[in-house]
Amino acid sequence: MDPPSSLIPKGPSVFNTRASLKSLMNVCRSLFTMLDSGVDVKKAFELAGRKNTDGRMREVLSEVEQRVREGSDISSAMEEHSEYLPRLLIDMVAVGETTGSLPEVLRSLSDHYETRLRLKRDFVRAIAWPALQFVAAVFVIALLIFIMGWIAETRPGEPIDVLGLGLLGTKGALLWLGMIFGSLLVLYIVYRVMNSSLGGKQQFDGVILKIPVIGTCAQSFAIARFSWAFSLTQGAGMSIKPSLEASLRATSNGAFIAATPHIWQAVQEGEFLGEALAATQLFPEDYLHMVQVAEDSGTVPEALARMSPQFEDQARRSLSILASTLGWGVWVVVAIFIIFFIFRLAFFYV
């Protein structure tokens, strides 16, 4: 059974620009503060748009405010900008409007986006030094290729090809840089193309989940987001089907999103939620056991709300291990290059 295409965010192109986490956090926080203080919803959107520093977000909020003034509900007005606004935000705003708990929903969304932004910044800081080392190593090799070419031009004798690839001088250095950074660009394009469709995203994330360390990190993040979204949607009174769809979509993981129809079909056939989740083989055994216990006591939303921070902490630890592993990996690559060059030069002179 193929999952419906609506389960994955849509965009006009592979390189579609969506709202940043910082912009979403600021908007949700501003709207929560004003609505919780009794400010009229139309005025709240107007003020939130003025305060936001993101030009595209200001434009979207202004158009949403105009549609609301014309009598539309907020979620329908946001739906017109689904290529820019995340599906989770639109779904949760609809729940908040229906249940009359929009300020509380916006506060939870603000906390959610703030956590994601903090984790993203932590990861960038953690891999910044290894990435800098890698770039430095690439440029050092390019410099070495250039110097060997210059020596070959100014002195007689056979030139020293340090890589054994026939790269020498300025042209060789540029080719080396093009090979490395061109390969990285190709990998990035492939990643964006695969993530632009549900089938590609499902395959890509499915492979990622099987990689040690990286897979554990991705799984923990997905489960933390699923737990948070499911507890929030159920607590706000959303029915089970849209709640499951919104929660699995909130994972931003293709493998989890693709499992939506299978989970819903199992629930429809009378299986417990824990059993339906277990059939996907995406959730760890301890998590499934806690869900089953919560089902027996009728406290699934409360249990998932407690488990979400636990898996978030687990994901953060996995992220730290991943960054450390990347750092050591860069050191190993640099060491291999150094040893390789030493032997190349030694064999050349011998």
Side-chain angles (χ1 to χ4, degrees):
M1 181 185 298
D2 294 329
S5 59
S6 62
L7 290 176
I8 191 169
K10 298 178 181 178
S13 70
V14 170
F15 298 100
N16 176 51
T17 301
R18 300 184 67 83
S20 67
L21 292 174
K22 182 178 180 180
S23 186
L24 291 168
M25 177 192 71
N26 290 336
V27 166
C28 291
R29 182 175 294 166
S30 296
L31 290 174
F32 157 67
T33 302
M34 287 183 282
L35 293 177
D36 193 53
S37 301
V39 177
D40 178 70
V41 64
K42 297 181 285 294
K43 188 65 175 179
F45 270 90
E46 178 187 348
L47 295 174
R50 289 181 187 175
K51 292 171 59 178
N52 203 283
T53 57
D54 185 333
R56 177 73 188 280
M57 181 61 81
R58 283 200 304 271
E59 179 183 341
V60 168
L61 291 177
S62 176
E63 293 180 12
V64 169
E65 176 208 346
Q66 183 61 37
R67 294 282 286 110
V68 171
R69 288 186 183 278
E70 293 171 358
S72 172
D73 54 52
I74 301 172
S75 57
S76 297
M78 287 183 168
E79 185 73 46
E80 297 176 7
H81 303 279
S82 59
E83 81 288 348
Y84 178 70
L85 299 174
R87 186 76 249 171
L88 177 65
L89 174 64
I90 299 172
D91 290 343
M92 295 309 302
V93 167
V95 173
E97 285 185 295
T98 303
T99 61
S101 57
L102 184 57
E104 292 77 9
V105 167
L106 289 169
R107 179 180 59 187
S108 296
L109 285 169
S110 174
D111 294 340
H112 171 67
Y113 290 125
E114 182 179 10
T115 299
R116 288 188 60 184
L117 180 62
R118 184 174 64 252
L119 289 172
K120 181 180 179 180
R121 288 174 174 172
D122 290 345
F123 180 71
V124 170
R125 280 196 295 266
I127 67 170
W129 179 240
L132 181 61
Q133 290 175 315
F134 174 77
V135 172
V138 170
F139 275 99
V140 166
I141 295 171
L143 179 62
L144 185 58
I145 293 172
F146 171 77
I147 292 174
M148 290 304 175
W150 175 76
I151 291 174
E153 292 175 358
T154 57
R155 296 183 182 181
E158 184 181 351
I160 305 175
D161 182 4
V162 292
L163 291 177
L165 299 175
L167 300 178
L168 291 170
T170 303
K171 183 178 180 181
L174 292 176
L175 282 173
W176 165 254
L177 293 175
M179 287 166 53
I180 298 300
F181 294 114
S183 299
L184 294 176
L185 178 60
V186 169
L187 289 175
Y188 175 73
I189 292 174
V190 170
Y191 165 76
R192 293 304 298 261
V193 169
M194 293 190 70
N195 275 270
S196 65
S197 67
L198 181 57
K201 188 171 177 61
Q202 177 185 356
Q203 293 179 5
F204 179 81
D205 289 333
V207 171
I208 291 295
L209 288 173
K210 297 176 182 178
I211 300 175
V213 182
I214 298 177
T216 302
C217 184
Q219 183 191 46
S220 298
F221 273 128
I223 292 175
R225 292 170 185 171
F226 169 80
S227 302
W228 169 81
F230 192 76
S231 65
L232 185 60
T233 52
Q234 286 291 286
M238 183 183 282
S239 59
I240 183 65
K241 183 179 181 181
S243 176
L244 277 173
E245 291 180 348
S247 303
L248 289 163
R249 192 163 49 230
T251 64
S252 299
N253 188 295
F256 282 79
I257 296 171
T260 302
H262 305 288
I263 295 174
W264 171 238
Q265 182 178 357
V267 171
Q268 272 188 312
E269 292 173 354
E271 293 187 18
F272 290 109
L273 177 61
E275 296 172 341
L277 297 179
T280 65
Q281 299 183 343
L282 294 171
F283 297 83
E285 187 176 350
D286 57 342
Y287 182 86
L288 295 171
H289 178 70
M290 288 185 283
V291 170
Q292 290 168 355
V293 171
E295 283 187 292
D296 292 338
S297 59
T299 58
V300 173
E302 295 82 356
L304 294 187
R306 291 193 301 270
M307 284 191 282
S308 178
Q310 297 174 14
F311 277 88
E312 214 164 75
D313 290 339
Q314 182 176 321
R316 192 177 291 109
R317 290 193 296 271
S318 299
L319 200 63
S320 177
I321 295 172
L322 175 59
S324 177
T325 303
L326 288 175
W328 280 105
V330 170
W331 275 109
V332 170
V333 171
V334 172
I336 291 174
F337 269 120
I338 292 173
I339 295 171
F340 174 76
F341 292 144
I342 291 173
F343 278 97
R344 285 286 299 175
L345 293 171
F347 282 129
F348 177 83
Y349 283 109
V350 170

